[in-house]
Amino acid sequence: MRVTTACVALLALGLVIETSRAHPLQESRKRRSEDGTVSYSGYKLFRTDVPLPQLPVVDSLDSSDGVDVWSWRYNDQRLEYELDVLTPPDVEQQVKQVFSDYQLNYQEVIEDLQSAINLELGDDELLWNRPGHPMTWEKYHSGEDMNQFLDYLQGRYPHLVTLIEIGKSFENRTLRVAKVSTGGENKPAIWIDGGIHSREWVSPATAMFILHRLVEFNWEDHEIISEFDWYILPLANPDGYEYTRHHDRLWRKTRSINPEMPKCVGVDANRNFELKWMEGGSSSNPCSDIYAGPSPFSEPETRAIRDFLLENKDQLKVYLSMHAYSQMWMLPWGHSQVRPKNYDDLFEVAQKATNALEKSYGTKYRIGTIPELLYVATGSSGDYALGTVGIPYSFSLELRDLGRYGFILPREQIMPTAQETYDGIKAMAQAVFEKLQMTNSTQIGA
Ligand SMILES: [Zn+2]
C-alpha cells in the first residue's frame, strides 16, 4: 500500500503508520497502453468507515500490492476515519476479504477508474474558444493553454496584470506568477498557488478562474480586489501536471530525478519546505508518494516559491495553497497539534470565507488545523509561510469533492467549484482587510 492521502500523511491518535515502509505501485507493475499511458482499467474506488479500534486494517491492506489509500478524513463525532481505497482488479478479492475480516462495510464509489478518467477528459471538439486564448472552465486544460491565457491577460490588461517568472521547474518549465494590481504603494498582498500536487487537477483550474475573475470581472468586485496586490501561481508543479496528462493521471510529486534512485522519481513538494522537515507525516523513501526529498528545498519549484515569499514577506498578509479533495479550509500548524497564536483570527476569517463559499451551491467545508481534520504533516508550504516567512494568514484548502469522484472530478464541476472558491476567497480578503485595519499592525504573531 502506498499512503497517499489527499494531501497529508498520518498520525492518528497515537497510531503512527510507518510511511517509510510503504511500497507504492511499482512502475514495472503498472499496466500501460500502447502510447505509454498508465491504464487504470478495472480499478475500483472503495469507501469504508473505520472505527479507531479497527484502524490496523491499514496494515492489512498494506499487504495488497498496488492498493492506494487516496484519502483519510477523520470524523470526530463518530470517532472514525473515512477511507477511500483505490484497488487494482487483481487484488480486489483480497481487499474485500480484508474488509470482511475487520467487519467493515464498504461501498463501491467508482466502478472503473479508467472510465471516469476518460469521461473527465471528454471530447475537446465540442468546446468553443474565446478570441485570443484557449482557456475555458469547461475542461481541464494543458499547461500550454494556461500559459497562453496568462500571456493574453497581460497583453489585454497591461494596467492590471504583470507576469513574473519566479524560477524554473526541474524539467525547465517556467514558473509564472501573475500579479494583479490596480496600482498604488504599500498595499497588503495575497498569494495563491495551485497544483503543488499534480493530480489535483481542479486546483490549477480554479486558480485560473480566480485570475479571470480578478482581471476580467475586476469591475464587479473592484473595491475589495483593489485593497490588495494579488500574486497567483496557478501551476506550481508544471512537470507533474504534464506527466498526469500524458503518462499517469494519479502522479502527485515533482519529476526530479535522484541519481542514486533513478527508478523513484519526484518529491512531494508539500513535504519539502524547511519547517520541522521530516519530523512526521512524510517519508524518507524516495519511492513513496509523500517523500520529503533528500533535503529541505531540494526541489527548484519549492525554492522558487520560498524565494518569492521571502522577498515579498513585508507585503504578504495571506498565503493560500489550493489542493483537492475533501472540502476543508485548513489552518496551521500541520506539524503539531498545537494551535498558532493567531488561531482565533485565522478561524474567524476561515468561517467568513466558508460561509460565503457555501452560499451558491450549498457546498460545506470543515475548518480546523491539519491534524484536527486529518493528521500530522511536516514540511508543508502553509507551515513555512506562517512559521518562517511570517505571513499571518496562512490557509491550505482542499477543494471538492468529498470522495464521490476524488481526484477525478468531472469537468462539469470545474465551474461551480471555481465559482464558490472565488466567493470564499473574496470573503476571506474582506475579512483580512478588516482585521488589518483593526490591528493596524503588521505583526499578528506566529
Ligand atoms: Zn494536495
Side-chain angles (χ1 to χ4, degrees), residues 5-8 196-197 200 252 270 322-325 398 407:
T5 69
C7 277
V8 270
I196 283 190
H197 289 145
E200 299 162 10
R252 164 183 166 99
N270 206 35
M322 292 193 298
H323 293 256
Y325 60 98
E398 297 282 5
F407 301 117

Side-chain angles (χ1 to χ4, degrees), residues 250-270:
L250 295 182
W251 190 258
R252 164 183 166 99
K253 299 188 283 182
T254 62
R255 292 295 302 166
S256 60
I257 294 165
N258 177 350
E260 283 164 33
M261 292 282 279
K263 285 205 170 136
C264 294
V265 174
V267 165
D268 183 343
N270 206 35

Side-chain angles (χ1 to χ4, degrees), residues 165-180:
E165 297 188 1
I166 64 163
K168 298 268 192 196
S169 69
F170 183 83
E171 293 175 351
N172 213 32
R173 294 186 175 86
T174 304
L175 300 166
R176 305 174 92 193
V177 168
K179 177 182 183 183
V180 180

